[in-house]
Amino acid sequence: MRERPIVFGQGAGLVGVVTEPDRHKALNRPACILVNAGLIHRVGPNRLYVNLARQLAEAGVVALRFDLSGRGDSAVRKDAVSFTHSSIEEIRAAMDLLQVSRKCDTFFVAGICSGAINALHAAIADPRVVGGVMIDGPAYPTPAYYLRYYGRRLLSAESWRNTLAGRNVFGRVLHGVVVPRPTDDAAGNAFEGDASLPSKAQATELLGGVIARGGKLLFIFSGSWTTYNYRNQFRSAFPSLMRSGAVDVEYFPDADHTFTGMHNQRRVIATIMRFVEARWSAG
C-alpha cells in the first residue's frame, strides 16, 4: 500500500491523498473518491476515510480522499459557482486526475452527510461513476417512521415536560404559537452549504437512472440520523429501487452519526468492503 499527497484542479487549489495498492495487488475494480463530510478535513470523522482508503488499497482499489474547495487544506474558490455545482466539478476533476495518472476508467463515490449528497450528484452527473456509498444521506420518512418517532415521544417524560413548557412543536401549538409546517421530504435533514436534497420522487428518478446504466449503490444509516429509525425504512420508501437488486442498505442503530465508537467504524468499513467485493469482480 502506498500513500502520496497530490494537488490538482483549478489553479492546483485542491489537496488530496491517493492511497493505492502495490502494483502486484492492483485489481480491475472501480477507484474510490471520498468526499468531505461537511466541513471535516479529508481524514474523515474519527479518521474513517483514512482507515477505509487503506482497507480499499488492500483489496486492490485505488482511493483518493481530498478536500473540496474551502475545506481542509484546499483553497477557497474565487468564483460565484454554487457549492453543489463546484463539488460536482471538483469530484470530476479528481476522477480526471486518476484517469490520467492511474489509468482508472470507472469510479464509485463515497461520503457522509453532505458528502453523501455530493456523491449522489456526482453519480448522476458523470457516467464514469458506476457506484456510490452514501452514509447518513437522503432518508425519507414513511408511516412506520412516524409511528416509531412519535410513539417514543409519547412514552418519554422529557417530551411531555418540553410540551408543557412550550419547547417543542406540540408545546408551541398548545401555547397558541403558529408553527410553520415542514415539508414531508426535507423534515429533519440538515446538510452543510447548499447541498440540495431532492424530493422523494426526484430521488427515485435520479437513483433509478444510475441503476439503469449498471450502477450499484450502498446506503448506510446510523441510529442517530434523525430521519431514519428502522432497518427496512429505505425498502419501504423506495420499493422499486430495491426490486432492482442493485441497492444494498445497512442500518447501525447503536452508532452515532460520526461513528465515534471504533467497533462501529470497523463494522461500517467491513460493510463497504463486502459491497465492493460482491459488486465488482477482482478481474
Side-chain angles (χ1 to χ4, degrees), residues 117 120 137-143 145-146 184-187 189 197-204 207 221 227-228 230 233-234 236-238:
I117 297 296
L120 169 61
Y140 299 87
T142 63
Y145 164 85
Y146 285 116
D184 290 339
D185 282 341
N189 278 304
L197 179 68
S199 70
K200 187 164 75 172
Q202 289 172 326
T204 302
L207 292 170
F221 296 97
T227 49
Y228 203 95
Y230 68 100
Q233 183 174 328
F234 191 94
S236 299
F238 297 103

Side-chain angles (χ1 to χ4, degrees), residues 29-35 52 56 61-64 91 95 98 105-111 119 122-123 128-134 216-218 272-273 275-277 279-280:
R29 283 178 168 148
C32 177
I33 306 294
L34 288 158
V35 186
L52 175 57
L56 288 167
V61 176
V62 176
L64 169 56
I91 292 169
M95 290 190 282
L98 292 185
D105 295 321
T106 58
F107 303 86
F108 69 97
V109 186
R128 292 175 295 179
V129 179
V130 296
V133 176
M134 284 155 264
K216 313 299 181 186
L217 303 171
L218 171 62
I272 296 170
M273 296 309 302
F275 169 75
V276 170
E277 290 167 1
R279 292 298 188 173
W280 294 296

Side-chain angles (χ1 to χ4, degrees), residues 114-156:
S114 64
I117 297 296
N118 289 323
L120 169 61
H121 286 304
I124 293 160
D126 198 305
R128 292 175 295 179
V129 179
V130 296
V133 176
M134 284 155 264
I135 305 172
D136 277 353
Y140 299 87
T142 63
Y145 164 85
Y146 285 116
L147 283 174
R148 288 169 171 80
Y149 182 86
Y150 291 114
R152 291 169 183 168
R153 278 151 182 76
L154 285 172
L155 299 175
S156 167

